[in-house]
Amino acid sequence: MMKSFENPVYVTRPFLPPLEDFCEGLKEIWDNRWLTNNGPVVTRYADELKSFLGVDNACLFNNGTLALQIGLQGMEISGEVITTPFSFVATTHALYWNKIRPVFVDIEPDFYTLDPQKVEAAITPWTTAILAVHVFGNPCNLEALSDIAKRHNLKLIYDAAHAFGVRIGGKSIADFGDVSMFSFHATKLYHSFEGGLLTFKDAKYTKVFDYLKNFGFENEVEVVMPGTNAKMTEVQALMGSMQLLYVDQMIQKRKNIYNIYCDRLKGVPGIRLPMEYCPDVQYNYSYMPIEIDEQQFGWSRDRLYEKLKEYNVFSRRYFYPLICDFPCYKNAQVQDALSVSRKVASQILTLPIYSELNPDDVNKICDIVIYIQKQTS
Ligand code: T4K
């Protein structure tokens, strides 16, 4: 009989820097009495991020969803946008809030990112952009998507919510596409409590994004466009700035956890581990997705998910259901049967992974999964 965990083990837990260091940092904000509206900490933090990511243009927001919404609005994207059904629902919500029609196409089975062939087949005269997601930090097929976007004169927008710290051939993932959005939500490997970032190629968007996140204010008496309020606060920026010191360390710890899962779970009947990673990509190990084949494993993914809770292990089914299956998107355009997306959504399970998860606990989670599997044979 396997013993359950005494305390719940969640799919993730936010990393926090030492409280004393954070309190020390707060002194500047207290002294300034400047809490939001583009204060000095946010301004400094934007520069830190630009140099960390090696990009020229970056704009901070109070969360990733508003960052993406504003990105789309500022670039004047309209009509139809080709996107993935296998993502967090905010990806499509950002289109909806801009009155853009999502066109869902299938993903490829190894990395869960948009299938470029399906993207190309779905282009119509109304298509204006591709909104692709680096799901679980797996880079999309960057070359193929860029080629399609160029040939069809489409904007290429990346939802990079999961991909902070990922590099390809030494180059930051923020450097691909026209615009990339990063989420700094508490559940992300790198966070600012809540927060969002747009990185972009064309400097002309700097002013537009700045207006849109601050009511469209040019000055006290002029409003140049109908903006909203999506500004990052000074306290958020302080957290983000402090976390930058720890990102590499956090990724290394996650990599160790990832390796333990792979070593322990390989060969377990019915468990499909993430694909062998591409050598020129530095991953961030933001999620630990496995797929459960019910026939071979002996339990359905959902039964395993429920059973794990009895052991105090709270995995998640990211991303199930598919976005196109939510009632609010039932009328959206769906290309083909989305057979890969449907299969993945029915089999995916993301196991706990975070930098402070103890390797002994990772081993214990593996013991529990293996024990559950053996109950069927
Ligand atoms: N695009 C993509 C591809 C995304 O994944 C997301 C967000 C976005 C866009 C939008 O970015 P933001 O606007 O959020 O910046 C979570 C997050 O809320 C969401 O940010 C994230 N994706 C999504 C994948 O996951 P939930 O509903 O699963 O979170 P929740 O509250 O159930 O938390 C999961 C677990 O994390 C909990 O069981 C325990 C732990 N947790 C959570 C919080 C909030 C903590 O230990 N401490 C905490 O403070 O959505």
Side-chain angles (χ1 to χ4, degrees), residues 111 137-143 165-173 176 255 275-285:
F111 300 106
N138 292 335
C140 293
N141 190 333
L142 301 162
E143 257 176 54
V166 173
R167 304 182 76 78
I168 301 103
K171 194 169 146 178
S172 164
I173 199 153
F176 294 85
K255 185 175 180 179
M275 273 307 284
E276 277 295 304
Y277 278 174
C278 308
D280 65 331
V281 177
Q282 277 172 263
Y283 289 90
N284 65 3
Y285 308 93

Side-chain angles (χ1 to χ4, degrees), residues 11 86 109-112 134-138 162 254 257-258 261-262 265 270-277 283-292 301 304 315-319 344-345 347-353:
V11 70
F86 186 72
D110 293 336
F111 300 106
Y112 311 132
H134 302 306
V135 184
F136 305 141
N138 292 335
H162 303 173
R254 284 169 174 269
I257 293 169
Y258 168 88
Y261 275 125
C262 289
L265 297 181
I271 292 189
R272 184 183 188 228
L273 292 164
M275 273 307 284
E276 277 295 304
Y277 278 174
Y283 289 90
N284 65 3
Y285 308 93
S286 50
Y287 292 82
M288 182 63 219
I290 60 171
E291 282 179 62
I292 303 298
R301 182 274 314 272
L304 174 61
S315 61
R316 291 298 286 264
R317 291 165 292 184
Y318 293 135
F319 290 100
V344 173
Q347 299 194 337
I348 200 89
L349 192 68
T350 49
L351 297 176
I353 189 165

Side-chain angles (χ1 to χ4, degrees), residues 12-14 64-65 87-88 159 161-162 183 185 187-188 316 318:
T12 189
R13 293 251 92 179
T65 304
S87 181
F88 189 60
D159 177 335
H162 303 173
S183 163
H185 184 264
T187 55
K188 297 291 178 287
R316 291 298 286 264
Y318 293 135

Side-chain angles (χ1 to χ4, degrees), residues 15-272:
F15 169 82
L16 290 170
L19 185 57
E20 312 80 78
D21 295 358
F22 191 69
C23 291
E24 189 59 35
L26 283 175
K27 283 187 189 152
E28 178 187 356
I29 298 171
W30 255 241
D31 288 345
N32 291 340
R33 283 282 197 286
W34 196 275
L35 308 185
T36 185
N37 290 5
N38 223 8
V41 183
V42 165
T43 309
R44 191 170 65 219
Y45 176 43
D47 288 338
E48 290 167 4
L49 282 168
K50 280 192 225 169
S51 78
F52 183 87
L53 295 170
V55 294
D56 293 330
N57 305 301
C59 186
L60 282 162
F61 297 85
N62 58 355
N63 62 58
T65 304
L66 279 170
L68 190 54
Q69 270 177 229
I70 286 177
L72 293 162
Q73 195 179 352
M75 295 168 81
E76 298 179 18
I77 307 291
S78 61
E80 289 175 3
V81 168
I82 298 169
T83 191
T84 170
F86 186 72
S87 181
F88 189 60
V89 71
T91 310
T92 303
H93 283 346
L95 297 171
Y96 180 89
W97 279 69
N98 280 289
K99 298 188 166 57
I100 297 164
R101 292 188 299 282
V103 176
F104 294 109
V105 306
D106 213 353
I107 56 173
E108 53 79 45
D110 293 336
F111 300 106
Y112 311 132
T113 51
L114 272 182
D115 180 336
Q117 280 187 353
K118 298 283 169 71
V119 170
E120 186 141 29
I123 294 171
T124 72
W126 296 277
T127 310
T128 57
I130 301 165
L131 173 53
V133 181
H134 302 306
V135 184
F136 305 141
N138 292 335
C140 293
N141 190 333
L142 301 162
E143 257 176 54
L145 290 179
S146 160
D147 175 56
I148 294 169
K150 272 196 200 111
R151 281 190 287 105
H152 295 272
N153 195 23
L154 305 175
K155 292 278 190 257
L156 180 53
I157 299 154
Y158 284 117
D159 177 335
H162 303 173
F164 193 80
V166 173
R167 304 182 76 78
I168 301 103
K171 194 169 146 178
S172 164
I173 199 153
D175 216 11
F176 294 85
D178 294 294
V179 170
S180 294
M181 179 282 282
F182 295 86
S183 163
F184 298 161
H185 184 264
T187 55
K188 297 291 178 287
L189 96 120
Y190 168 85
H191 74 90
S192 58
F193 297 118
E194 291 252 13
L197 175 76
L198 289 180
T199 58
F200 43 100
K201 289 272 159 56
D202 194 335
K204 78 171 180 212
Y205 292 126
T206 307
K207 275 224 130 200
V208 182
F209 295 156
D210 281 347
Y211 285 138
L212 285 173
K213 73 174 175 185
N214 188 27
F215 312 103
F217 272 125
E218 170 68 32
N219 56 46
E220 276 180 46
V221 291
E222 277 178 278
V223 169
V224 295
M225 58 180 80
T228 184
N229 180 1
K231 291 167 272 119
M232 178 175 266
T233 67
E234 294 287 274
V235 175
Q236 285 176 291
L238 173 64
M239 176 57 82
S241 172
M242 296 194 75
Q243 299 242 348
L244 272 183
L245 308 173
Y246 298 90
V247 189
D248 293 337
Q249 229 169 290
M250 289 191 281
I251 291 177
Q252 188 52 48
K253 286 190 175 163
R254 284 169 174 269
K255 185 175 180 179
N256 294 341
I257 293 169
Y258 168 88
N259 285 335
I260 298 174
Y261 275 125
C262 289
D263 280 354
R264 293 288 321 279
L265 297 181
K266 74 167 177 273
V268 176
I271 292 189
R272 184 183 188 228

